[in-house]
Amino acid sequence: SSRRCSSSNRSQGWPLSAQSSPESPSPAGAARQARPAFVARLESIMARPGGLTAEKAASAARSSSYEVHARRADAQAADEQVVQAGLAFVPRITARGTYTRVSDVGVQSLGPLGFKHPLNNYSVGAEAIVPISDYALRLVRQFKSARHSAKAAEWMASAATSTAATSARLQFYAGARARLQLVVAEASL
């Protein structure tokens, strides 16, 4: 019978909202009344000026992650190995100097020959080592390997940074989802 009533009301051109009795509010009317309270509740939970955002969480994770710090240290160590491999191309130069003072023993003689032993002895020497065979066989490969290792370490640091930021964003959104699910559950009661 309610079906006939609504169809007859439609045929007369009455609006659908006029069909409900004034004593009992329609579901649409109740939803409209509950909507501002629901939106206000959502805004009180989610819209906090200066509060935590996904980007702030990601930034904090990038700056405080132990994994990121370790990967950056690895990248810095790899850069130092590139410098060290480059220095292997420089010839090694060594210098040495000695001084010796001996006691005066007087004139020494060997048969008819006599000679005086010097009291002060000085010795100075220098040496340059140029590893020509290493230039051709080892150093170029070693330098290229160090550069590739440094690049790989940079990529690992970048990946660790991205992973930390993404993980922080996921945790932020999981927390937001949990808070919103609580609000929706409370509103449905």
Side-chain angles (χ1 to χ4, degrees):
S1 83
S2 66
R3 205 166 178 193
R4 268 189 246 147
C5 183
S6 65
S7 64
S8 65
N9 286 343
R10 281 192 198 142
S11 64
Q12 295 175 2
W14 293 348
L16 290 177
S17 62
Q19 295 173 12
S20 63
S21 65
E23 297 87 32
S24 64
S26 71
R32 267 182 273 184
Q33 289 173 355
R35 187 171 189 276
F38 181 71
V39 170
R41 175 83 171 121
L42 284 178
E43 287 178 352
S44 72
I45 289 175
M46 300 307 290
R48 294 183 180 161
L52 184 64
T53 64
E55 285 308 310
K56 286 181 183 177
S59 177
R62 281 191 292 265
S63 64
S64 64
S65 171
Y66 291 119
E67 182 71 19
V68 171
H69 289 297
R71 295 296 164 235
R72 286 182 182 158
D74 289 346
Q76 187 176 9
D79 287 340
E80 294 298 325
Q81 287 178 348
V82 171
V83 171
Q84 193 174 26
L87 289 175
F89 286 100
V90 177
R92 283 171 277 183
I93 299 173
T94 58
R96 181 185 48 209
T98 60
Y99 167 75
T100 307
R101 170 123 176 127
V102 294
S103 300
D104 188 8
V105 289
V107 178
Q108 299 292 321
S109 65
L110 279 170
L113 298 173
F115 63 92
K116 183 168 170 103
H117 191 57
L119 298 177
N120 297 315
N121 293 316
Y122 300 96
S123 171
V124 178
E127 180 179 63
I129 300 172
V130 180
I132 296 171
S133 62
D134 283 353
Y135 286 153
L137 301 175
R138 187 174 62 100
L139 294 180
V140 174
R141 289 183 187 153
Q142 184 179 1
F143 184 74
K144 285 181 181 179
S145 173
R147 278 195 326 205
H148 291 306
S149 294
K151 191 66 174 171
E154 287 175 23
W155 282 107
M156 291 297 288
S158 176
T161 302
S162 296
T163 300
T166 301
S167 178
R169 283 187 194 101
L170 287 173
Q171 292 299 319
F172 173 83
Y173 288 126
R177 182 179 6 185
R179 288 192 303 270
L180 290 174
Q181 285 174 343
L182 179 63
V183 171
V184 169
E186 288 174 351
S188 68
L189 294 177

